[in-house]
Amino acid sequence: SSMFLQQVPFMFITLTSACFESMGSMPALIEERHLMKYETSEALYAEWVLALANFLVDVPLGLLGASAQICIVFVFSGFPAAVFQTFFLWVLLTFLVYDSLFTCLAAFAADAQLAELVATPILTVFLLFNGFLVSQAGAPAWLRWIFGVSPNFFAMQSVVTAFAEAEGPEAQAIVGALGYERGHEGTGLV
């Protein structure tokens, strides 16, 4: 159980790093959008061509990079092999959620400063309400709805409960104290 207690903060940091991976690309996306406006105004190509190229090149490269990082982190984590699939899936899904969010914000924001200004409060709320920093039991009643929409909460809950199941009854008791419950993975995917 002491190994489990040491690994829960590691799970939190891993999921947090997945959240921040794409935030740094917002300024480049905004710059690319400005260049695309000039190029499409000169009729060099249509906007859908750039969108298709980004989807066919940037998305697979992002997934490949995130997948490699997740595998490397898992190897160094000391987690039991039985939780690799759950760990990989939820960290990758967390990356995809935030990559999509930051790409969307970069598409609508006038500049990088505004995009980061809008992204920061969203990211902060989801990071706080993940069940590790602020638990459902410890949150004010009027803020508990945030857990139901926080991708970080569902990822932490799924990874921590899978790890506890592999570790045994002592770890499962700690999971109960944290307020995580097994069996809500489908809700998190929706």
Side-chain angles (χ1 to χ4, degrees):
S1 69
S2 66
M3 174 69 157
F4 177 76
L5 281 175
Q6 293 172 0
Q7 294 293 32
V8 173
F10 181 81
M11 294 173 208
F12 168 73
I13 294 298
T14 302
L15 286 167
T16 301
S17 71
C19 299
F20 284 106
E21 280 182 42
S22 299
M23 193 170 194
S25 67
M26 284 196 303
L29 290 171
I30 292 169
E31 181 63 29
E32 185 177 284
R33 186 184 71 210
H34 290 306
L35 290 173
M36 182 264 311
K37 286 180 183 178
Y38 293 128
E39 292 169 347
T40 55
S41 71
E42 296 293 326
L44 296 176
Y45 55 84
E47 292 172 356
W48 68 268
V49 173
L50 180 66
L52 180 64
N54 284 345
F55 178 73
L56 294 175
V57 175
D58 293 344
V59 172
L61 284 176
L63 287 173
L64 183 65
S67 297
Q69 179 182 358
I70 295 165
C71 290
I72 291 167
V73 166
F74 188 83
V75 167
F76 286 110
S77 71
F79 289 173
V83 300
F84 174 74
Q85 184 177 358
T86 302
F87 181 80
F88 183 85
L89 171 75
W90 283 100
V91 176
L92 189 64
L93 284 174
T94 304
F95 165 77
L96 286 173
V97 164
Y98 286 101
D99 186 55
S100 301
L101 173 67
F102 296 147
T103 301
C104 179
L105 291 174
F108 289 106
D111 59 18
Q113 184 177 10
L114 180 61
E116 290 174 355
L117 186 69
V118 172
T120 301
I122 297 168
L123 182 60
T124 303
V125 167
F126 287 157
L127 286 176
L128 286 175
F129 290 87
N130 66 2
F132 178 66
L133 295 177
V134 176
S135 67
Q136 283 184 319
W142 57 279
L143 290 176
R144 290 193 184 132
W145 64 270
I146 297 173
F147 291 97
V149 296
S150 173
N152 298 62
F153 171 72
F154 287 105
M156 275 295 288
Q157 178 171 255
S158 297
V159 171
V160 169
T161 56
F163 189 93
E165 194 172 285
E167 287 293 303
E170 289 180 25
Q172 289 173 349
I174 295 169
V175 166
L178 290 171
Y180 294 129
E181 299 173 353
R182 186 92 170 134
H184 295 284
E185 291 81 8
T187 307
L189 290 174
V190 175

